[in-house]
Amino acid sequence: MKISTIGYSVKQGIKNIFRNKMFSLASVATMGACIFLLGIFFCIVVNFQNMVKQAETGVSVSVYFVKGINQERISEIGDLIRKRVEVSECRFVSAEEAWSDFQKDYFKGNEDLAAGLEDDNPLADSEHYEIFLSDVSMQNSLVIYLQSLEGVRQVNKSEMVADTLSNFNVLIGYVSIGIIGILLAVSVFLISNTVIVGIAVRKEEIAIMKLIGATDVFIRAPFVVEGILIGLVGSGIPLILLHILYNEVVEFIEGRFSTLTIQFLTFLPSSYVFSKLIPMSLAIGLGIGFLGSFFTLRKHLKV
Amino acid sequence: MISLEHVTKSYTVGVPAVKDLNLQIEKGEFVFVVGNSGSGKSTLLKLLIKELEPTEGRIVVNGQELNTMKRKQIPKFRRGIGFVYQDFRLLKDRNVYENIAFAQRVIQTPGKQIKRRVPAMLSMIGLAEKYRSFPKELSGGEQQRVALARALVNDPNILLADEPTGNLDPKNSWDIMKLLEEVNETGTTVVVVTHNREIVNAMKKRVVALDDGAIISDEKKGVYENEN
Ligand SMILES: Nc1ncnc2c1ncn2[C@@H]1O[C@H](COP(=O)(O)OP(=O)(O)OP(=O)(O)O)[C@@H](O)[C@H]1O
Ligand SMILES: [Mg+2]
């Protein structure tokens, strides 16, 4: 295709958009609504997954030992634990460390209170392994295994958190795939419908072009340009809205629930979220615009 | 150049619009096709650009066998033929200039050349001032002239004109016929469907007369005969 022909097709595609203002507007609006929903969903999913991940890394299992156990057996148990695939980290916490951690947590600001107990560690029996999991869903089987080990007195786990988080994560995965799939299907359907109507309206014109000797490619090109432009504009506008909205909402939630923010509600920076969302949305808009118009034309443009 | 052998075309089964046509037109000929309304003249022309498929028979145009022509070859084949439709078939959404330029864009003519050629065509058909008008803003005769300019802009080998003077006054009709004659003199094969008895009789060209889908006479330097 020659440059002049490409220029002609782009010009004609833009003209077509303005000629059928209402239709183009409807397509951009529906496309925009789909991308907007998709974007909202994406923001929620990535943030939630991030929160879950952070919460997950905080989920630990503690293994306490029977009284009078020797150091040899303790390190044996440590080796066994580290061999498990679901274990991402296994840390030995001595009684002294446990005590100083405890002090840090509970005597903050009045260290002198704790100083009185210095020589008599109240947590003398509290040496243990602290185990972090790479996969929270494996927690139960790990606990059963740990309890079966000789020399283990007690295994503490965070039951509620682990189960809820892993279930939630799986659920969110499915729901997001489902909703995104539906939205994409709707978008393809809409663009394709817009093109079909465009063809119907210009059926006579297309027939005339064919009789003058225009090739299929020459007739299709403006329609494809139209589809691509609608796709790009339809994904660009919601991106701008989403960007504004994201920053507002994050600011609002962080302001409202500032006490929670530190431990749980940590939001991803908008630069990170949008570095993924912008190319993804534009690619989807462009792809749907192109494929939607291209395949519809192929099916309906036979004279 | 144009050859029809036993060509029949039925729009509805058993009712042929043209039947068992045999016709040879040589390169550079000027041929009038005459006949009553409904005698099959437009059908004949449409068969020649493969707008219609014959129900039976063999058609060769510009050395190309139409029956076996592949879909992909059709656009290129049509570009060698200028066609003026009885109902003009201009692109409604484009102005006069763009309608004529469109035929050039289709064959990927460089923009510079289009800018030179289209105005020349416009002044030839006497519509230089109306180049920005849209088809619906033109009279029937004006639309007809635009259609003719579009058919001629690419210098076709063959010009098929379906009543190109149907909506014109006698003076304009004569101008257009003179134009077609000039085009013919440059080597283009011209086939003109017309009801204009005066012009046919005066121009002394080959006349093919159709009646009820069949050729009833075919004479060199013929005249318009009306059975009624
Ligand atoms: N698309 C069509 N579908 C069905 N029948 C048609 C169609 N086009 C033409 N016909 C019929 O075919 C016959 C020939 O039509 P055609 O248009 O070729 O006549 P014509 O000689 O061009 O007439 P006119 O001088 O009025 O233009 C007519 O009987 C007409 O009714
Ligand atoms: Mg006719």
Side-chain angles (χ1 to χ4, degrees):
Chain A
M1 209 183 252
K2 287 197 180 160
I3 304 229
S4 64
T5 307
I6 294 171
Y8 164 82
S9 304
V10 171
K11 223 163 120 185
Q12 212 55 43
I14 294 171
K15 266 191 183 169
N16 286 350
I17 289 176
F18 286 102
R19 197 169 290 141
N20 304 326
K21 273 192 208 79
M22 284 321 289
F23 242 100
S24 312
L25 216 64
S27 309
V28 167
T30 36
M31 182 88 200
C34 285
I35 294 282
F36 187 72
L37 283 176
L38 195 128
I40 286 183
F41 214 78
F42 179 82
C43 290
I44 293 173
V45 167
V46 285
N47 273 298
F48 204 85
Q49 280 190 332
N50 180 52
M51 287 172 196
V52 167
K53 211 171 196 173
Q54 285 198 334
E56 258 184 13
T57 56
V59 171
S60 64
V61 175
S62 306
V63 178
Y64 296 89
F65 313 109
V66 292
K67 260 203 170 107
I69 191 170
N70 57 20
Q71 281 304 317
E72 216 172 304
R73 181 60 193 159
I74 289 179
S75 60
E76 259 175 38
I77 292 173
D79 288 343
L80 287 170
I81 293 169
R82 287 189 189 94
K83 269 190 202 139
R84 305 279 294 187
V85 284
E86 67 269 36
V87 172
S88 70
E89 198 191 334
C90 175
R91 193 166 64 91
F92 180 73
V93 181
S94 66
E96 290 75 29
E97 271 180 78
W99 174 227
S100 69
D101 280 352
F102 186 83
Q103 280 179 325
K104 261 190 227 137
D105 282 350
Y106 293 94
F107 293 95
K108 217 172 190 167
N110 13 317
E111 276 79 3
D112 43 329
L113 254 176
L117 296 162
E118 195 67 65
D119 298 328
D120 182 21
N121 183 350
L123 300 178
D125 282 337
S126 67
E127 56 184 358
H128 63 276
Y129 278 119
E130 198 168 347
I131 304 165
F132 293 93
L133 294 168
S134 56
D135 182 356
V136 187
S137 64
M138 302 290 278
Q139 186 183 250
N140 280 339
S141 63
L142 179 69
V143 168
I144 289 166
Y145 170 76
L146 292 173
Q147 280 166 339
S148 74
L149 290 177
E150 200 181 317
V152 169
R153 167 168 57 95
Q154 195 191 336
V155 180
N156 286 352
K157 58 170 178 168
S158 42
E159 190 136 19
M160 213 276 291
V161 180
D163 279 358
T164 326
L165 284 184
S166 61
N167 284 345
F168 229 76
N169 229 348
V170 171
L171 184 73
I172 282 203
Y174 283 134
V175 170
S176 57
I177 289 170
I179 291 190
I180 288 171
I182 291 169
L183 288 179
L184 291 185
V186 168
S187 302
V188 169
F189 177 75
L190 287 168
I191 289 265
S192 141
N193 246 18
T194 309
V195 171
I196 289 175
V197 171
I199 292 173
V201 168
R202 281 170 255 170
K203 204 172 182 153
E204 225 185 302
E205 311 269 294
I206 290 169
I208 295 169
M209 292 177 189
K210 289 212 157 191
L211 289 173
I212 295 171
T215 55
D216 287 355
V217 174
F218 188 84
I219 294 172
R220 265 184 219 155
F223 284 101
V224 173
V225 168
E226 195 181 336
I228 288 175
L229 288 179
I230 286 177
L232 285 182
V233 175
S235 55
I237 292 172
L239 280 177
I240 296 169
L241 290 179
L242 280 168
H243 195 268
I244 297 167
L245 200 69
Y246 186 84
N247 290 331
E248 290 286 322
V249 168
V250 166
E251 211 169 284
F252 174 78
I253 294 179
E254 283 184 344
R256 196 84 194 259
F257 306 97
S258 54
T259 43
L260 281 171
T261 321
I262 310 132
Q263 340 168 355
F264 185 59
L265 278 175
T266 43
F267 287 96
L268 290 162
S270 74
S271 61
Y272 172 83
V273 174
F274 282 85
S275 73
K276 294 213 149 51
L277 189 58
I278 290 173
M280 190 177 88
S281 302
L282 289 180
I284 288 174
L286 193 133
I288 288 180
F290 176 77
L291 295 177
S293 53
F294 186 81
F295 285 106
T296 313
L297 285 167
R298 222 164 73 164
K299 208 172 136 197
H300 293 268
L301 214 98
K302 292 207 170 123
V303 173
Chain B
M1 178 106 303
I2 297 174
S3 155
L4 289 89
E5 291 172 24
H6 304 291
V7 172
T8 297
K9 169 68 190 176
S10 308
Y11 291 100
T12 37
V13 181
V15 191
V18 298
K19 52 194 173 208
D20 200 28
L21 283 191
N22 290 290
L23 182 65
Q24 309 290 325
I25 296 172
E26 301 306 323
K27 185 169 163 53
E29 265 195 280
F30 191 116
V31 182
F32 281 119
V33 177
V34 299
N36 290 338
S37 184
S39 56
K41 306 180 296 296
S42 296
T43 304
L44 167 62
L45 290 199
K46 285 173 184 170
L47 284 166
L48 298 181
I49 52 158
K50 211 174 158 69
E51 184 182 346
L52 298 174
E53 302 290 333
T55 315
E56 263 172 70
R58 177 165 174 264
I59 303 174
V60 180
V61 178
N62 246 344
Q64 282 175 284
E65 173 93 43
L66 298 199
N67 299 40
T68 56
M69 186 180 283
K70 296 208 173 65
R71 224 182 96 77
K72 274 180 89 169
Q73 298 172 306
I74 296 175
K76 208 162 184 191
F77 159 73
R78 285 179 179 157
R79 290 174 196 179
I81 301 171
F83 204 115
V84 182
Y85 286 91
Q86 199 171 355
D87 53 357
F88 324 129
R89 302 213 184 159
L90 300 175
L91 298 168
K92 291 186 194 67
D93 60 341
R94 300 179 204 204
N95 62 27
V96 168
Y97 182 96
E98 274 305 319
N99 261 285
I100 299 169
F102 184 79
Q104 297 221 281
R105 299 200 196 283
V106 162
I107 59 168
Q108 310 210 345
T109 310
K112 250 189 186 168
Q113 210 170 312
I114 296 177
K115 286 198 183 95
R116 241 182 297 126
R117 185 94 171 115
V118 176
M121 296 306 291
L122 281 165
S123 57
M124 186 184 83
I125 56 166
L127 284 176
E129 284 102 61
K130 299 219 171 184
Y131 73 100
R132 294 181 75 172
S133 304
F134 284 85
K136 65 168 187 289
E137 299 162 358
L138 299 177
S139 74
E142 286 167 338
Q143 291 184 52
Q144 205 152 34
R145 283 182 276 162
V146 175
L148 181 63
R150 182 181 66 186
L152 290 174
V153 72
N154 289 333
D155 292 324
N157 295 330
I158 300 176
L159 177 70
L160 306 175
D162 200 345
E163 301 199 25
T165 60
N167 293 283
L168 301 179
D169 55 69
K171 155 98 177 60
N172 267 310
S173 298
W174 269 110
D175 287 349
I176 292 295
M177 281 301 167
K178 286 276 172 265
L179 180 64
L180 295 183
E181 203 170 21
E182 277 168 37
V183 169
N184 176 241
E185 273 156 17
T186 66
T188 303
T189 309
V190 177
V191 180
V192 183
V193 169
T194 187
H195 285 295
N196 195 321
R197 176 197 300 259
E198 195 190 326
I199 285 176
V200 173
N201 290 342
M203 281 179 72
K204 306 256 184 310
K205 304 286 185 188
R206 179 179 172 189
V207 178
V208 173
L210 286 182
D211 184 39
D212 205 8
I215 296 177
I216 51 163
S217 79
D218 180 354
E219 288 175 33
K220 289 212 181 330
K221 302 197 178 183
V223 289
Y224 193 111
E225 297 173 271
N226 203 336
E227 306 81 58
N228 305 329

